[in-house]
Amino acid sequence: MKLLAKKKTQQKEDESEWFWWEDDVLVFNVLGNPSAKITKIGKPYGNQLKIAVSATPVNGKATDHLVKFLAGEFGVKTRDIEVVFGRMNVNKQLRVTSPQKLPAVFK
């Protein structure tokens, strides 16, 4: 599997952007929708990406489910995804180290 080309950006260039690169780390903001019927990536909404999660928001279980789901979507291990803030909130920021693939919404 080919590695994605590394994009070098030290800071967000535009505050309205919902994702950016810091060396080989993809950083993005999430607006979560827990207790959904299915887990799926939605569309960007302002400076966040909407993601529906089928898990209930109890003791961080929805966030854990989100991280597992996104690990598969990015082709990385769960330990390669860091929840920067928002573990117990629908507003989150995530960091994905060296993603091997990108979901279509990121292209």
Side-chain angles (χ1 to χ4, degrees):
M1 177 182 291
K2 284 184 172 180
L3 292 176
L4 295 173
K6 294 180 182 178
K7 296 184 180 184
K8 307 262 181 190
T9 304
Q10 293 301 322
Q11 296 179 344
K12 280 180 24 173
E13 294 178 7
D14 181 2
E15 288 299 318
S16 66
E17 290 294 320
W18 55 272
F19 77 94
W20 61 97
W21 291 90
E22 294 176 358
D23 294 322
D24 66 340
V25 178
L26 175 64
V27 184
F28 61 100
N29 298 316
V30 172
L31 175 60
N33 177 19
S35 302
K37 288 186 179 183
I38 61 170
T39 300
K40 68 177 184 174
I41 297 174
K43 296 180 180 180
Y45 179 75
N47 68 347
Q48 296 175 301
L49 176 63
K50 287 184 173 183
I51 302 179
V53 179
S54 60
T56 57
V58 177
N59 297 325
K61 288 185 180 183
T63 300
D64 292 342
H65 183 77
L66 172 68
V67 169
K68 277 180 145 178
F69 169 72
L70 291 177
E73 294 293 305
F74 288 106
V76 298
K77 296 184 185 294
T78 56
R79 69 175 176 250
D80 295 325
I81 299 178
E82 174 191 359
V83 179
V84 178
F85 63 79
R87 178 150 175 70
M88 304 289 213
N89 194 310
V90 295
N91 300 299
K92 304 176 187 314
Q93 186 175 88
L94 303 177
R95 294 173 55 88
V96 182
T97 303
S98 301
Q100 300 300 302
K101 57 185 180 175
L102 292 176
V105 73
F106 286 89
K107 296 178 183 173

